[in-house]
Amino acid sequence: TPEAVLRRAVGGAWAEHLAALARGHDPRPVCPRREEKSIGAEVTFPEDVPRGERLDAAVLALADKAAHRMRVAGFASHTVAVKVRTADFTTISRSRTLAGATNLTKTIAEAARDLVAAVDLRGMPVRLVGVRLEQLVSPERMTIQPTLDGHDVADAERQAQEAGDAIRGRFGPRALRPASLLGDATGFPS
């Protein structure tokens, strides 16, 4: 758009600024790092998927992938959200705030599966499913529930996941995953 047209539409100062931006001139510094608001994963299936084992496996794989990304980024999550798109392209979102922040795959996957199971699909198969982790906090702010003998209830699981994350970091994302996904029942790459 010629600068004269911009001047008439938005005034002189804005016209000059917009024209400069259009030429690629912007004095503002580039800030490539931004604060993470959520971390998630989703998949669009190559064909519509009915409720059942394949959908459950996809939710588990997505929860595992999102939880791994979150741990690597150094976060825990207070809220698990899911998105389900049916064959008629109706999109339904649900979320659940957990009792405390977590970064454990098992806890996240259980919440995600419950949320997807509660969605009324009206008999429609699913085209897309996603798992998103929201209300991110640093792991120091996670709620740790000790037992009467002073041990962290989820300590062994947390240690196992940290070891698993190290294995994935060294050998790739498919090097380690939940056993129920070894047959690749999801039909999509992780």
Side-chain angles (χ1 to χ4, degrees):
T1 303
E3 198 168 330
V5 174
L6 287 174
R7 283 184 193 284
R8 285 193 304 272
V10 296
W14 274 107
E16 189 177 311
H17 177 70
L18 291 174
L21 291 177
R23 290 189 301 273
H25 300 283
D26 189 352
R28 297 172 293 183
V30 175
C31 300
R33 304 290 290 166
R34 61 181 168 77
E35 184 180 333
E36 293 287 349
K37 304 268 188 215
S38 67
I39 294 175
E42 64 182 40
V43 64
T44 301
F45 296 106
E47 70 280 331
D48 297 337
V49 174
R51 189 182 300 273
E53 204 172 292
R54 187 166 175 212
L55 183 59
D56 289 344
V59 171
L60 173 59
L62 294 168
D64 181 54
K65 188 175 194 176
H68 172 72
R69 286 179 178 170
M70 184 176 60
R71 286 190 303 273
V72 168
F75 292 109
S77 172
H78 278 285
T79 301
V80 177
V82 297
K83 175 169 68 171
V84 178
R85 182 168 297 141
T86 57
D88 67 354
F89 291 94
T90 299
T91 302
I92 304 160
S93 298
R94 298 286 184 265
S95 66
R96 174 181 297 162
T97 299
L98 305 170
T102 187
N103 60 12
L104 298 177
T105 297
K106 180 180 176 186
T107 305
I108 292 164
E110 287 172 356
R113 279 181 169 164
D114 290 348
L115 287 165
V116 169
V119 170
D120 179 9
L121 298 176
R122 301 173 336 274
M124 300 287 295
V126 174
R127 169 57 79 183
L128 173 146
V129 66
V131 175
R132 190 175 64 254
L133 307 171
E134 302 172 338
Q135 292 185 318
L136 303 179
V137 297
S138 62
E140 298 83 46
R141 298 189 55 203
M142 291 187 330
T143 303
I144 305 294
Q145 178 63 49
T147 60
L148 293 175
D149 62 4
H151 290 88
D152 176 354
V153 171
D155 191 43
E157 186 176 348
R158 190 170 290 105
Q159 289 176 3
Q161 291 202 328
E162 288 171 3
D165 291 341
I167 291 168
R168 286 177 171 180
R170 182 166 180 182
F171 298 107
R174 294 180 63 95
L176 190 68
R177 56 192 166 165
S180 62
L181 298 178
L182 291 178
D184 201 33
T186 59
F188 65 92
S190 55

